[in-house]
Amino acid sequence: MCPQRTRDSKEKPTVVIYTDGACSGNPGPGGWAAVLTYEGKTKEISGGEPVTTNQRMELKAACEALRCLKVPCQVTLHSDSAYLINCFKQKWYKSWQKNGWRNSKGEPVQNQDLWQALLAEVDRHEVAFEKVKGHAGVELNERCDALARAAVPK
């Protein structure tokens, strides 16, 4: 499913990604999932952690999805996480970086490790972040939700 470019191709492959995170308790055991589509092919990935938060699982899903891409791609990443989407749409990360990874209250940014990993992945690609309403019948968002919940360790 991973896109590949030929040597003479200058156009980046176009990939659509849906991501979601789930947590049983917050903190508690959690799961993450992503569905990647490229040229009619679909790849599903998921995983879980024994102790985490919902926010961490949302970020982990996006990070792992982008890590699957072997070459720089043009990506549209859909998520129902306002935390994830707003960070990129409102460019919170730029202030965090400028302020030594401190938020507007002067406190350390939560989930800094995952934000930094995600930013490194985003830098490899052209990523457009799109908010999708959760639990609203959007097929691939619903599929991610089911995969993420199934990945929560019992």
Side-chain angles (χ1 to χ4, degrees):
M1 181 348 266
C2 291
Q4 297 182 11
R5 278 192 299 185
T6 60
R7 283 182 212 223
D8 56 346
S9 173
K10 293 184 182 185
E11 220 173 280
K12 291 181 180 178
T14 300
V15 178
V16 175
I17 299 174
Y18 281 77
T19 65
D20 202 9
C23 212
S24 181
N26 202 20
W32 60 268
V35 177
L36 299 86
T37 60
Y38 169 70
E39 291 186 346
K41 299 179 191 99
T42 300
K43 179 176 182 152
E44 297 179 345
I45 60 171
S46 62
E49 295 182 9
V51 181
T52 190
T53 65
N54 189 59
Q55 303 288 36
R56 288 189 66 78
M57 293 295 90
E58 296 284 358
L59 297 176
K60 183 83 169 178
C63 193
E64 293 300 327
L66 292 172
R67 279 187 182 138
C68 284
L69 305 176
K70 304 289 188 225
V71 298
C73 296
Q74 187 169 345
V75 178
T76 303
L77 192 147
H78 300 266
S79 174
D80 61 13
S81 169
Y83 179 60
L84 171 63
I85 299 301
N86 289 343
C87 175
F88 287 97
K89 293 266 188 186
Q90 298 176 20
K91 303 196 183 319
W92 297 345
Y93 64 93
K94 289 189 177 199
S95 294
W96 294 342
Q97 291 170 321
K98 186 176 119 188
N99 296 328
W101 285 93
R102 299 235 172 239
N103 64 23
S104 60
K105 296 177 185 173
E107 300 165 342
V109 171
Q110 291 186 359
N111 307 311
Q112 179 181 336
D113 59 328
L114 288 172
W115 283 118
Q116 289 175 335
L118 181 54
L119 285 168
E121 293 302 320
V122 167
D123 282 347
R124 294 178 44 231
H125 307 286
E126 290 177 33
V127 184
F129 289 88
E130 297 296 330
K131 178 83 166 73
V132 63
K133 187 173 182 179
H135 310 287
V138 177
E139 181 184 356
L140 293 180
N141 180 256
E142 296 290 344
R143 180 63 183 148
C144 279
D145 180 63
L147 290 168
R149 284 186 284 111
V152 174
K154 308 295 181 234

